[in-house]
Amino acid sequence: MSNKDLQVLRNEIDAIDVKLLELLSERGKLAQEIGKVKQVSGVKRFDPVREREVLDKIAENNEGPFDTPTMKHVFKTIFKACLDLQEADERKTLLV
Amino acid sequence: MSNKDLQVLRNEIDAIDVKLLELLSERGKLAQEIGKVKQVSGVKRFDPVREREVLDKIAENNEGPFDTPTMKHVFKTIFKACLDLQEADERKTLLV
């Protein structure tokens, strides 16, 4: 194995992970804003129709190398984290 | 609820999801390349020291709103998907 090749590839992955972290955090902040809008209006946080639409769009745009079930699984993990964030925020509000 | 506000926020999330999909796919391709380099040299795909380093870097750079255990969980899901990709590639090579 060329250690240099491996290191170059790992550096590229590290750069992607930094961007992923930023985008995920941004997505979390937007989910929090959506949670607030929904809380004010008494609308339920979880919207299965919206989730289905988002997953369908991901399936449409997925060009690999991950197969679509795998990519959907990753996004469902992200959705769950966002929903937990909204729930934590709502609990905080209720405690005030 | 202002439906317009909600729609604007959702559009922003959709734009992030497109970028996430691209970055995840790019990460998958790099993982495949790393898998090939490792296969040629007979090195094990899973490297717990490297995974620990990557997770430590994520913890260091995480500025919220997700807490670090949640962010690590999301990244572990991504690592697992990448490892599965490498394993599938290796199986294909062994079958040829």
Side-chain angles (χ1 to χ4, degrees):
Chain A
M1 167 172 52
S2 159
N3 279 322
K4 200 186 155 199
D5 284 353
L6 190 64
Q7 200 46 56
V8 169
L9 292 168
R10 283 180 165 176
N11 290 346
E12 287 181 46
I13 284 208
D14 289 345
I16 287 180
D17 285 348
V18 169
K19 288 187 211 163
L20 281 173
L21 182 61
E22 282 172 10
L23 283 172
L24 289 168
S25 302
E26 235 181 283
R27 197 188 198 283
K29 284 177 203 161
L30 287 166
Q32 284 182 308
E33 286 189 57
I34 288 177
K36 277 177 211 153
V37 172
K38 286 190 170 181
Q39 200 185 343
V40 168
S41 62
V43 170
K44 275 192 186 166
R45 283 181 306 268
F46 178 60
D47 180 346
V49 176
R50 162 75 180 159
E51 180 168 315
R52 172 74 59 89
E53 282 169 3
V54 176
L55 287 173
D56 284 350
K57 219 172 285 177
I58 285 157
E60 264 171 51
N61 292 319
N62 182 30
E63 295 178 348
F66 294 112
D67 59 22
T68 293
T70 301
M71 196 51 104
K72 282 188 177 179
H73 174 65
V74 171
F75 270 89
K76 279 183 191 171
T77 307
I78 298 168
F79 298 162
K80 173 74 170 56
C82 289
L83 201 61
D84 288 348
L85 210 55
Q86 293 174 341
E87 280 175 4
D89 281 352
E90 194 171 322
R91 271 198 305 276
K92 272 182 226 157
T93 323
L94 294 174
L95 289 171
V96 171
Chain B
M1 167 171 55
S2 159
N3 279 321
K4 201 187 154 196
D5 285 353
L6 190 64
Q7 199 47 55
V8 169
L9 292 167
R10 284 180 164 176
N11 290 346
E12 287 182 45
I13 284 208
D14 289 345
I16 287 180
D17 285 349
V18 169
K19 288 186 211 163
L20 282 173
L21 182 61
E22 282 172 10
L23 284 171
L24 290 167
S25 303
E26 236 181 282
R27 198 189 198 283
K29 284 178 203 160
L30 288 166
Q32 284 182 309
E33 287 188 56
I34 288 177
K36 277 177 210 153
V37 171
K38 287 190 170 181
Q39 200 185 341
V40 167
S41 62
V43 172
K44 275 192 186 167
R45 283 181 306 268
F46 179 59
D47 180 345
V49 176
R50 162 75 179 160
E51 179 167 315
R52 173 76 58 89
E53 283 170 1
V54 175
L55 288 173
D56 284 349
K57 218 173 287 177
I58 284 157
E60 265 171 51
N61 293 318
N62 182 31
E63 296 179 349
F66 294 111
D67 59 21
T68 293
T70 301
M71 196 52 105
K72 282 188 177 179
H73 174 66
V74 171
F75 271 90
K76 279 184 191 172
T77 307
I78 297 169
F79 298 163
K80 172 73 170 58
C82 289
L83 201 63
D84 289 348
L85 211 54
Q86 292 175 342
E87 281 175 3
D89 281 352
E90 194 172 323
R91 272 199 304 276
K92 272 182 225 156
T93 322
L94 293 174
L95 288 171
V96 171

